[in-house]
Amino acid sequence: MTYSTIFRLDGRVALIPGGSGGIGSALAAGLADFGADVVIVGRSLERAEAVAQSVRERGRRALALPADVTRPEEVDRMVDQTMAAFGQIDILINCVGTNIEAPAEEYRLEDWDYVFAMNLRSTFKICQAVARASMIPRRRGKIINISSVRGQLAIRRGYAAYTASKAGVNLLTKQLATEWAKYNINVNCIAPTFIRTPLVAPMLSDPQFYQALVNRIPLGRVGEPDDLVGAAVFLAAPASDFITGHILLVDGGVTATQ
């Protein structure tokens, strides 16, 4: 290996559940620019196909798949279709996530269960399915889970399920990294602060909330999806081969002050 290639992803296949969203689409483009072929998974096949087409326009192969990752059988189908099309999964980036906001004293258990199913249960199921199908047999792989600074920091809003589920993603990342190190599978996590996506758009549209948020971020702005691309490429590439079980904060310095 030469240092000029430590960020290259040529010959790698990346699977991105949630790849049709604001963060996932940016990561798909970034990985493609560094040489990866990409499988985009989303609830809407039309949106996933639009991202896949943008990957093809970058000169890489792409496949769009619809799936509801809260349903285990659909996760298995998604992985089977990826293996049938490409024969391997080298990189997994779990970009699926949601939130339902309500005061803790009023939080409905059905909403709690849905947030956990989407944010934590699906992350485990996808990691397990990909590891079984490709990474363990081939003794190699890079798994990147998308968490949040709210996996470490509480917030004065009704985020009980979101914060708890993201904390679970952080520890799951460390656990899988520990268990699967013997298979040469690196499992890491990116934990961003607020990224300008549809999920947090209602909060960012509140001027008072936005100004208070920005005032707490030393770099003086919220994140953009492009801010996560470098971290994802690094954790997917040979440059990070000796890094596993790490929670990489992409937060403009907010956790350094709290």
Side-chain angles (χ1 to χ4, degrees):
M1 181 193 302
T2 64
Y3 292 135
S4 64
T5 64
I6 61 174
F7 292 101
R8 293 300 306 176
L9 301 172
D10 304 281
R12 300 330 205 289
V13 175
L15 173 63
I16 310 182
S20 59
I23 291 175
S25 58
L27 299 186
L31 266 60
D33 281 351
F34 279 83
D37 299 320
V38 187
V39 179
I40 310 298
V41 181
R43 285 180 179 269
S44 164
L45 179 58
E46 182 179 5
R47 289 178 59 194
E49 178 55 38
V51 178
Q53 182 56 33
S54 74
V55 170
R56 297 183 194 108
E57 290 169 359
R58 285 172 151 81
R60 307 309 310 170
R61 296 182 297 166
L63 175 66
L65 297 174
D68 175 356
V69 296
T70 65
R71 301 175 64 86
E73 65 275 14
E74 294 198 25
V75 171
D76 289 334
R77 175 180 54 77
M78 166 189 82
V79 172
D80 288 345
Q81 289 177 312
T82 300
M83 291 297 292
F86 292 100
Q88 65 195 64
I89 301 171
D90 304 285
I91 301 159
L92 168 64
I93 305 182
N94 280 305
C95 282
V96 176
T98 194
N99 183 38
I100 298 173
E101 183 175 347
E105 67 273 18
E106 300 173 8
Y107 215 97
R108 302 188 310 168
L109 286 180
E110 54 265 40
D111 292 339
W112 174 280
D113 290 343
Y114 179 74
V115 171
F116 265 75
M118 183 68 75
N119 292 356
L120 182 56
R121 185 172 181 262
S122 73
T123 295
F124 173 68
K125 172 58 183 175
I126 295 166
C127 289
Q128 182 187 63
V130 169
R132 285 174 170 173
S134 182
M135 293 183 177
I136 291 175
R138 299 178 70 237
R139 295 300 196 271
R140 60 177 287 185
K142 296 291 185 82
I143 295 175
I144 304 166
N145 296 320
I146 305 298
S147 178
S148 168
V149 295
R150 296 300 157 191
Q152 299 182 31
L153 300 173
I155 184 173
R156 297 175 189 177
R157 296 179 70 115
Y159 267 46
Y162 184 84
T163 55
S165 64
K166 290 300 186 178
V169 170
N170 288 349
L171 195 54
L172 175 64
T173 296
K174 292 176 180 290
Q175 181 63 32
L176 296 182
T178 302
E179 287 198 44
W180 292 345
K182 62 187 177 183
Y183 302 120
N184 198 35
I185 300 172
N186 301 70
V187 189
N188 292 292
C189 189
I190 297 173
T193 187
F194 281 84
I195 302 294
R196 199 183 301 277
T197 66
L199 180 63
V200 298
M203 300 172 72
L204 297 182
S205 66
D206 178 342
Q208 184 176 359
F209 176 85
Y210 179 83
Q211 194 57 51
L213 172 65
V214 169
N215 288 345
R216 292 198 304 270
I217 300 175
L219 288 182
R221 64 175 177 87
V222 297
E224 303 292 340
D226 287 348
D227 289 318
L228 303 182
V229 172
V233 170
F234 168 64
L235 292 175
S240 63
D241 280 352
F242 200 55
I243 298 173
T244 197
H246 183 68
I247 312 301
L248 178 56
L249 293 158
V250 182
D251 67 354
V254 66
T255 52
T257 67
Q258 298 184 47

